[in-house]
Amino acid sequence: MKKPSTLSRRMIVVVLMLAIVGQACTFSLLENPFTTGTSTQTPGVAVPSATPQAMAQTNFVVILPEPLQANETLVIAVMDEVTGLAFSSLQYPMSARDSLTYTAVLPLPFNSVVKYRYIRRGAAQVLEDTSLGSEIRYRMFYVAGPSEIQDVISDWGDRSYVRPIGSILGQVFNTDTGSPLANMLVTAAGVQQFTDSSGRFELVGLPTGTQTLLVYSPDGLYQPFQQGAMVAENNATVVNLRVKPMPLVNVTFSVVVPESTVPGVPVRIAGNILQLGNTFADLQGGVSTNPDRMPILNLQADGRYSATMALPVGTHIQYKYTLGDGYWNAEHKSDGQWVLREFVVPAQDLSIQDSVETWSFGDSPILFEVTVPSVTPPGDIIYIQFNTFGWMEPIPMWPLGNNRWTYKLYGPLNILGSFSYRYCRNGQCGSADDAQTVGSAPTGRQVSTSVIGQDIQDTVNTWKWYENPEPISLVGANIVPRAGGFIAGVEFQATYHPNWSFYAPQGFANTQAIGANMVILTPSWTFSRVSPLGFAPVPGIDPLWIDSAIMISQARALGLNVSLFPTPNFETLNGPTSLSTNFWKDAPKDAVWWQSWFARYRTFAVNYADLATQTGAQTLILGGDWIAPALPNGKLADGTPSNVPADADAQWRSIIAEVRTHFKGQVLWGLPFTKAAIEVPLDFLRDVDGIYLLWSASLSSNPSATKLDYANEAGRLLDNEVATLVSLLNKPLILAIAYPSAAGSANGCVPNGQGGCLDWTELNRPNADISSAILSLQTQADIYEAMLATVNARPWISGFVSRGYYPPAALQDKSASIHSKPTADILWYWFPRMLGTIK
């Protein structure tokens, strides 16, 4: 039998996990369970899973950048990513060998992967930084036996030092097949990066000397690989690393829960690998796990909860049981300590018998019950979000039926006192909000802990941006069916959060329901630094390789064609929007920098060419409206030259040629419709298969303009400024439009309140609402009808795409998303008729 590919092995494992997770909230507590007295406790004593683990003495030696002050001490913190890096760690004091060298010997489990970092404790607690000033989430070490680790602290969070640095770059390969591996976490000196489709990584800003280099598989499918790597000043150490794939065995988790557990509620497993909900990201409030990505155990007839999953042999598993996430409603010991179970997956099937001592910690549990509006979409799940030291990740509630939801908060309640909470739809707190608690930082509803149990009953009177949705009255039209190959598509917006994976199938189903035949996904990498250029996926902001692969698989399963339009993210540079203006302005833009930029964009494009090939996506779109400064004769936003190299056209031709060696499908170029973009000849466009025209053109400056006025202006622009380009290139053109549901959208200028115009992406969720923009659903609907009529009269246009779709929740907001807006009804009428599926 042929072995499955690397991607398919990962898809099998993670899709199985999604199948388990997909059971979330499909139950209904039709009767109030808090009055039944039913117990989920199984009589008898559970067989404990914990067996003594063999321990290895590990000596940590660290060199400081300067001596500690008299009132300061140094500790090493072993991190707990399951509970949350901000909440749980074991801190061990270190002893001074001399003024700059400190040591600590820790007994650590054999074959475990330990996550740790150094902390300077004095008047305040200060974490270590990298040489480039970014906080170290954690360092990693694979405990293969007794050993010594030598580390160097580059910076502290409250100060910086000048020290010699270098870098490590290389590739990671499968030992058995020799194929490169994507989605592997590579780390040294606390610097981390995920590998791309070629297995490549680059760790920059490392202190000179020997660094411990670790390759870690976030899903455990490959054995950790660790070695020392010598870093030389201002030089790159090049390494090729090979990791061994591990077989899968069945692990059955079975757990007895306390009698106080609400009967039938979902019991999840939170853990340290992807399959157990770890996102390897800094999520809201300091957690890293997400309940929507955790497996749910099945309630058995004997009252136990259990689940069987395929896990890779040798994987170090840390886990806990929870009614929420790794922090909220997670299991505790009877003395209130956090529980973090762990084991290494053996070479044979394993059955684990566990028992939860208690969910409660602190004051008495609080029962939250809420009634939501009748207009709430029937497929929506209501979430509750808590604010401790900041708003944390939302937790799915439990349905009672008849628009009623409940959640019982057991703990931790010992550190809260008074705290805030709020409700939202589909986990999109800050976007799909209760109208009383709108935005990213509301005061929220208030509650205080108590020694007496509480039953809080709330009502959500209105959902913000979904107050009273009503269907639009459709106007019939004589629609000409297009020839085969016409694209009727929906482009998802580039913003991403790990819980979107749970709602992607719903977005694809909605896309299919309006008659679209293609979905355009916009996976991203993030520009984290301008110089030296940092461009790589950042967990929690960008979808990991496996996240994108699963989404493509889900879309194709519904019969949708898939196009990938990789789109950079600038969030860590410029705040909450994806605008690139500051990035280009701040970049050195000298010859060396441009060489680095083109090399990294090439890697970016090839990565998604490989993803498209391995997942069966039909189309890849390069370019975009952000990329103008990198084109021949490039200009910055203010019109000044970008100093792009004279051979820019040749650079682009070379990138396109390399992409074609990795991907045999259709390659399009995302070209913004601007005067400069259309008029400046781009010879390399002859090398692509078509133009994906990014269209947000002004259609009228008259606030009283009609749909006919919009259509006439759109037709004039297309005939006079676009048709010539299509004729010259003799290639298909797909019109991809983005018009927010806001006044001024038809003029191409939604006011920013400062005399200027908003970029349409600034109105995307989850960005904060911009009060200067005035909601107008009708404006968007009228523009779409006009644009569709315009395309209907021009057979040389080969496709029509709606941009900016927000998949996780229906919102009738100001954004360009058409999700559940009147515009979606218009597309529902037009798309099937344009495709000829409805006459």
Side-chain angles (χ1 to χ4, degrees), residues 125-141:
Q125 182 168 282
V126 182
L127 305 181
E128 56 172 328
D129 274 355
T130 68
S131 296
L132 298 178
S134 57
E135 181 180 295
I136 288 178
R137 294 191 76 233
Y138 47 69
R139 299 169 182 261
M140 300 176 72
F141 183 74

PDB file of all heavy atoms in Angstrom, residues 125-141:
ATOM      1  N   GLN A 125       8.648  41.968  38.219  1.00  0.00           N
ATOM      2  CA  GLN A 125       9.069  40.757  37.516  1.00  0.00           C
ATOM      3  C   GLN A 125       9.335  41.122  36.067  1.00  0.00           C
ATOM      4  O   GLN A 125       8.454  41.632  35.383  1.00  0.00           O
ATOM      5  CB  GLN A 125       7.975  39.698  37.636  1.00  0.00           C
ATOM      6  CG  GLN A 125       8.306  38.372  36.993  1.00  0.00           C
ATOM      7  CD  GLN A 125       7.335  37.281  37.391  1.00  0.00           C
ATOM      8  OE1 GLN A 125       7.421  36.725  38.482  1.00  0.00           O
ATOM      9  NE2 GLN A 125       6.394  36.995  36.517  1.00  0.00           N
ATOM     10  N   VAL A 126      10.531  40.865  35.563  1.00  0.00           N
ATOM     11  CA  VAL A 126      10.919  41.272  34.212  1.00  0.00           C
ATOM     12  C   VAL A 126      11.264  40.037  33.396  1.00  0.00           C
ATOM     13  O   VAL A 126      12.091  39.205  33.810  1.00  0.00           O
ATOM     14  CB  VAL A 126      12.130  42.233  34.246  1.00  0.00           C
ATOM     15  CG1 VAL A 126      12.480  42.684  32.824  1.00  0.00           C
ATOM     16  CG2 VAL A 126      11.827  43.437  35.132  1.00  0.00           C
ATOM     17  N   LEU A 127      10.654  39.920  32.210  1.00  0.00           N
ATOM     18  CA  LEU A 127      10.898  38.785  31.323  1.00  0.00           C
ATOM     19  C   LEU A 127      12.051  39.090  30.383  1.00  0.00           C
ATOM     20  O   LEU A 127      12.362  40.247  30.100  1.00  0.00           O
ATOM     21  CB  LEU A 127       9.638  38.476  30.502  1.00  0.00           C
ATOM     22  CG  LEU A 127       8.346  38.226  31.286  1.00  0.00           C
ATOM     23  CD1 LEU A 127       7.207  37.911  30.323  1.00  0.00           C
ATOM     24  CD2 LEU A 127       8.523  37.116  32.308  1.00  0.00           C
ATOM     25  N   GLU A 128      12.659  38.050  29.866  1.00  0.00           N
ATOM     26  CA  GLU A 128      13.749  38.229  28.913  1.00  0.00           C
ATOM     27  C   GLU A 128      13.219  38.515  27.514  1.00  0.00           C
ATOM     28  O   GLU A 128      12.121  38.102  27.137  1.00  0.00           O
ATOM     29  CB  GLU A 128      14.655  37.001  28.882  1.00  0.00           C
ATOM     30  CG  GLU A 128      13.942  35.690  28.583  1.00  0.00           C
ATOM     31  CD  GLU A 128      14.902  34.534  28.381  1.00  0.00           C
ATOM     32  OE1 GLU A 128      16.020  34.774  27.881  1.00  0.00           O
ATOM     33  OE2 GLU A 128      14.533  33.386  28.700  1.00  0.00           O
ATOM     34  N   ASP A 129      14.027  39.245  26.729  1.00  0.00           N
ATOM     35  CA  ASP A 129      13.736  39.594  25.343  1.00  0.00           C
ATOM     36  C   ASP A 129      14.783  38.972  24.429  1.00  0.00           C
ATOM     37  O   ASP A 129      15.854  38.551  24.875  1.00  0.00           O
ATOM     38  CB  ASP A 129      13.807  41.122  25.138  1.00  0.00           C
ATOM     39  CG  ASP A 129      12.497  41.804  25.461  1.00  0.00           C
ATOM     40  OD1 ASP A 129      11.516  41.099  25.751  1.00  0.00           O
ATOM     41  OD2 ASP A 129      12.470  43.046  25.449  1.00  0.00           O
ATOM     42  N   THR A 130      14.467  38.986  23.133  1.00  0.00           N
ATOM     43  CA  THR A 130      15.479  38.639  22.138  1.00  0.00           C
ATOM     44  C   THR A 130      16.344  39.863  21.856  1.00  0.00           C
ATOM     45  O   THR A 130      16.034  40.980  22.300  1.00  0.00           O
ATOM     46  CB  THR A 130      14.831  38.185  20.825  1.00  0.00           C
ATOM     47  OG1 THR A 130      14.182  39.305  20.201  1.00  0.00           O
ATOM     48  CG2 THR A 130      13.813  37.090  21.065  1.00  0.00           C
ATOM     49  N   SER A 131      17.398  39.671  21.086  1.00  0.00           N
ATOM     50  CA  SER A 131      18.284  40.786  20.739  1.00  0.00           C
ATOM     51  C   SER A 131      17.566  41.843  19.912  1.00  0.00           C
ATOM     52  O   SER A 131      17.988  43.001  19.879  1.00  0.00           O
ATOM     53  CB  SER A 131      19.490  40.262  19.948  1.00  0.00           C
ATOM     54  OG  SER A 131      20.270  39.400  20.738  1.00  0.00           O
ATOM     55  N   LEU A 132      16.466  41.457  19.239  1.00  0.00           N
ATOM     56  CA  LEU A 132      15.719  42.405  18.418  1.00  0.00           C
ATOM     57  C   LEU A 132      14.533  43.000  19.159  1.00  0.00           C
ATOM     58  O   LEU A 132      13.680  43.649  18.565  1.00  0.00           O
ATOM     59  CB  LEU A 132      15.260  41.717  17.124  1.00  0.00           C
ATOM     60  CG  LEU A 132      16.403  41.212  16.228  1.00  0.00           C
ATOM     61  CD1 LEU A 132      15.841  40.495  15.006  1.00  0.00           C
ATOM     62  CD2 LEU A 132      17.311  42.362  15.815  1.00  0.00           C
ATOM     63  N   GLY A 133      14.455  42.740  20.461  1.00  0.00           N
ATOM     64  CA  GLY A 133      13.469  43.432  21.286  1.00  0.00           C
ATOM     65  C   GLY A 133      12.112  42.784  21.386  1.00  0.00           C
ATOM     66  O   GLY A 133      11.192  43.384  21.953  1.00  0.00           O
ATOM     67  N   SER A 134      11.933  41.580  20.871  1.00  0.00           N
ATOM     68  CA  SER A 134      10.637  40.909  20.992  1.00  0.00           C
ATOM     69  C   SER A 134      10.653  39.973  22.198  1.00  0.00           C
ATOM     70  O   SER A 134      11.672  39.337  22.503  1.00  0.00           O
ATOM     71  CB  SER A 134      10.308  40.131  19.715  1.00  0.00           C
ATOM     72  OG  SER A 134      11.330  39.200  19.426  1.00  0.00           O
ATOM     73  N   GLU A 135       9.525  39.885  22.879  1.00  0.00           N
ATOM     74  CA  GLU A 135       9.439  39.076  24.094  1.00  0.00           C
ATOM     75  C   GLU A 135       9.619  37.600  23.766  1.00  0.00           C
ATOM     76  O   GLU A 135       9.105  37.099  22.758  1.00  0.00           O
ATOM     77  CB  GLU A 135       8.086  39.303  24.767  1.00  0.00           C
ATOM     78  CG  GLU A 135       7.897  38.532  26.065  1.00  0.00           C
ATOM     79  CD  GLU A 135       6.547  38.775  26.700  1.00  0.00           C
ATOM     80  OE1 GLU A 135       6.291  39.928  27.110  1.00  0.00           O
ATOM     81  OE2 GLU A 135       5.750  37.823  26.771  1.00  0.00           O
ATOM     82  N   ILE A 136      10.342  36.907  24.593  1.00  0.00           N
ATOM     83  CA  ILE A 136      10.500  35.463  24.430  1.00  0.00           C
ATOM     84  C   ILE A 136       9.290  34.768  25.047  1.00  0.00           C
ATOM     85  O   ILE A 136       9.051  34.882  26.255  1.00  0.00           O
ATOM     86  CB  ILE A 136      11.808  34.986  25.089  1.00  0.00           C
ATOM     87  CG1 ILE A 136      13.010  35.457  24.253  1.00  0.00           C
ATOM     88  CG2 ILE A 136      11.829  33.468  25.242  1.00  0.00           C
ATOM     89  CD1 ILE A 136      14.356  35.077  24.831  1.00  0.00           C
ATOM     90  N   ARG A 137       8.497  34.071  24.215  1.00  0.00           N
ATOM     91  CA  ARG A 137       7.364  33.305  24.744  1.00  0.00           C
ATOM     92  C   ARG A 137       7.897  32.195  25.636  1.00  0.00           C
ATOM     93  O   ARG A 137       7.440  31.992  26.749  1.00  0.00           O
ATOM     94  CB  ARG A 137       6.535  32.691  23.614  1.00  0.00           C
ATOM     95  CG  ARG A 137       5.816  33.665  22.721  1.00  0.00           C
ATOM     96  CD  ARG A 137       4.827  32.930  21.812  1.00  0.00           C
ATOM     97  NE  ARG A 137       3.635  32.546  22.552  1.00  0.00           N
ATOM     98  CZ  ARG A 137       3.146  31.302  22.599  1.00  0.00           C
ATOM     99  NH1 ARG A 137       3.776  30.327  21.959  1.00  0.00           N
ATOM    100  NH2 ARG A 137       2.052  31.027  23.279  1.00  0.00           N
ATOM    101  N   TYR A 138       8.809  31.432  25.073  1.00  0.00           N
ATOM    102  CA  TYR A 138       9.506  30.412  25.834  1.00  0.00           C
ATOM    103  C   TYR A 138      10.649  29.842  24.999  1.00  0.00           C
ATOM    104  O   TYR A 138      10.648  29.928  23.779  1.00  0.00           O
ATOM    105  CB  TYR A 138       8.581  29.273  26.290  1.00  0.00           C
ATOM    106  CG  TYR A 138       7.657  28.700  25.234  1.00  0.00           C
ATOM    107  CD1 TYR A 138       8.153  27.945  24.167  1.00  0.00           C
ATOM    108  CD2 TYR A 138       6.282  28.879  25.319  1.00  0.00           C
ATOM    109  CE1 TYR A 138       7.311  27.399  23.216  1.00  0.00           C
ATOM    110  CE2 TYR A 138       5.429  28.347  24.371  1.00  0.00           C
ATOM    111  CZ  TYR A 138       5.942  27.605  23.321  1.00  0.00           C
ATOM    112  OH  TYR A 138       5.110  27.076  22.377  1.00  0.00           O
ATOM    113  N   ARG A 139      11.636  29.301  25.689  1.00  0.00           N
ATOM    114  CA  ARG A 139      12.664  28.468  25.078  1.00  0.00           C
ATOM    115  C   ARG A 139      12.167  27.020  25.134  1.00  0.00           C
ATOM    116  O   ARG A 139      11.248  26.696  25.901  1.00  0.00           O
ATOM    117  CB  ARG A 139      13.983  28.600  25.840  1.00  0.00           C
ATOM    118  CG  ARG A 139      14.560  30.021  25.872  1.00  0.00           C
ATOM    119  CD  ARG A 139      15.696  30.120  26.859  1.00  0.00           C
ATOM    120  NE  ARG A 139      16.238  31.464  26.960  1.00  0.00           N
ATOM    121  CZ  ARG A 139      17.338  31.888  26.345  1.00  0.00           C
ATOM    122  NH1 ARG A 139      18.023  31.050  25.563  1.00  0.00           N
ATOM    123  NH2 ARG A 139      17.773  33.122  26.498  1.00  0.00           N
ATOM    124  N   MET A 140      12.782  26.145  24.353  1.00  0.00           N
ATOM    125  CA  MET A 140      12.359  24.748  24.333  1.00  0.00           C
ATOM    126  C   MET A 140      13.580  23.836  24.427  1.00  0.00           C
ATOM    127  O   MET A 140      14.640  24.142  23.868  1.00  0.00           O
ATOM    128  CB  MET A 140      11.563  24.440  23.066  1.00  0.00           C
ATOM    129  CG  MET A 140      10.296  25.267  22.922  1.00  0.00           C
ATOM    130  SD  MET A 140       9.416  24.973  21.358  1.00  0.00           S
ATOM    131  CE  MET A 140       8.747  23.335  21.655  1.00  0.00           C
ATOM    132  N   PHE A 141      13.392  22.709  25.132  1.00  0.00           N
ATOM    133  CA  PHE A 141      14.478  21.737  25.265  1.00  0.00           C
ATOM    134  C   PHE A 141      13.882  20.341  25.294  1.00  0.00           C
ATOM    135  O   PHE A 141      12.898  20.076  25.999  1.00  0.00           O
ATOM    136  CB  PHE A 141      15.287  21.982  26.543  1.00  0.00           C
ATOM    137  CG  PHE A 141      16.460  21.055  26.688  1.00  0.00           C
ATOM    138  CD1 PHE A 141      17.601  21.225  25.906  1.00  0.00           C
ATOM    139  CD2 PHE A 141      16.420  20.003  27.594  1.00  0.00           C
ATOM    140  CE1 PHE A 141      18.680  20.359  26.032  1.00  0.00           C
ATOM    141  CE2 PHE A 141      17.502  19.140  27.726  1.00  0.00           C
ATOM    142  CZ  PHE A 141      18.635  19.327  26.940  1.00  0.00           C
TER     143      PHE A 141
END
